[in-house]
Amino acid sequence: MKELEKKIGYKYKDISYLENALTHSSFANESRHGIRSNERLEFLGDAVLSIVVSDYIYRNCPKLPEGELSKLRAALVCEKSLCRFASDLGVGSYLKLSRGERNLGGASRPSILADAFEAIIASIYLDGGMEEAAKFILRYVEPEIKNPKPRAFKDYKTTLQEIVQKNPEEHLSYVLTGEEGPDHDKHFSVEVHLNNNVIGKGGGRSKKEAEQQAAREALKLMGY
């Protein structure tokens, strides 16, 4: 754990935050000692990541309009980018996974790595505050902005939102309709609603992936 702490570049006052950030639900579910998974930290880390990235690109990309800022943020915080950041940090070898999850390659699964990276952000935020969390995040985000790499990622959610928001009275929402399979092989189903109408359905190994696929189907339905 001390080795990872050095890689992160932050000295924890309470190392249990980092230990919790590395605990996957498969490990927590197998434990008989009431160990908590990193899911709550993932939720918080996602919010901290969003505000730090939004603030940074707003201040440092003054010529970009709102739509382009949204696309840039989405590319920086998507599962593919977070997985890459986590891999660079070597998070996979420190994850606490059930034996079955680890045998099935959970330590290198993009959704698990991305979630753990968000949980680590939250662990730093809770232990040391927003300034320390921002330092950690920007260590990965700044190079991506200054030396952008070609990205295959297509942000269907942002594209759909930009189309819908042209009509202020329209309301777009994503609804989780299904979650099945064991922890090591989850599948999520999502519907995207325009007001009360279902305009797209999607599935994937993570909620984010399922939402992107639902938005993609909606765009096809709308002729885009």
Side-chain angles (χ1 to χ4, degrees):
M1 200 62 66
K2 292 293 182 183
E3 183 182 0
L4 179 58
E5 192 179 40
K6 288 180 182 178
K7 290 181 180 180
I8 290 171
Y10 172 74
K11 177 72 174 176
Y12 283 84
K13 295 184 282 291
D14 184 351
I15 199 67
S16 67
Y17 283 122
L18 179 56
E19 292 171 348
N20 186 200
L22 298 169
T23 304
H24 186 252
S25 57
S26 63
F27 183 90
N29 291 340
E30 275 192 358
S31 172
R32 297 179 181 178
H33 304 291
I35 294 175
R36 292 179 301 165
S37 77
N38 63 4
E39 290 177 343
R40 282 174 56 84
L41 285 178
E42 175 205 340
F43 164 79
L44 179 58
D46 179 69
V48 174
L49 174 66
S50 182
I51 188 61
V52 170
V53 171
S54 298
D55 179 75
Y56 182 85
I57 62 177
Y58 176 83
R59 295 177 188 278
N60 291 276
C61 305
K63 295 182 180 179
L64 289 184
E66 185 272 337
E68 292 302 313
L69 287 172
S70 294
K71 290 178 182 177
L72 176 57
R73 178 181 61 193
L76 291 168
V77 305
C78 71
E79 182 178 287
K80 183 178 179 181
S81 293
L82 298 184
C83 173
R84 187 169 70 253
F85 299 158
S87 297
D88 291 345
L89 193 58
V91 169
S93 60
Y94 298 96
L95 286 172
K96 296 178 182 178
L97 303 165
S98 68
R99 184 177 299 176
E101 182 65 74
R102 188 168 292 281
N103 289 340
L104 287 165
S108 59
R109 181 167 299 141
S111 60
I112 291 178
L113 288 174
D115 290 348
F117 191 81
E118 289 180 329
I120 289 171
I121 290 171
S123 74
I124 297 170
Y125 169 76
L126 290 171
D127 190 74
M130 180 64 84
E131 184 177 348
E132 292 295 339
K135 284 181 187 177
F136 174 71
I137 293 166
L138 294 178
R139 200 171 90 208
Y140 292 91
V141 169
E142 279 184 312
E144 292 287 307
I145 296 172
K146 293 176 179 177
N147 300 292
K149 302 175 181 67
R151 293 185 178 91
F153 174 72
K154 172 92 172 154
D155 184 16
Y156 299 108
K157 284 183 66 178
T158 296
T159 301
L160 180 60
Q161 182 65 42
E162 289 173 349
I163 292 169
V164 171
Q165 70 184 14
K166 293 177 183 177
N167 299 304
E169 70 278 2
E170 304 285 4
H171 176 67
L172 197 65
S173 61
Y174 292 85
V175 179
L176 180 67
T177 58
E179 179 179 340
E180 55 189 28
D183 285 329
H184 65 266
D185 191 23
K186 284 279 188 186
H187 183 84
F188 297 89
S189 299
V190 166
E191 292 178 349
V192 56
H193 294 194
L194 182 61
N195 300 324
N196 294 320
N197 300 313
V198 178
I199 60 171
K201 297 180 181 181
R205 298 288 291 275
S206 68
K207 293 176 188 176
K208 292 177 182 177
E209 181 185 348
E211 288 175 353
Q212 286 288 347
Q213 294 306 316
R216 181 181 187 182
E217 183 177 278
L219 288 168
K220 285 183 179 179
L221 179 68
M222 298 166 72
Y224 288 91

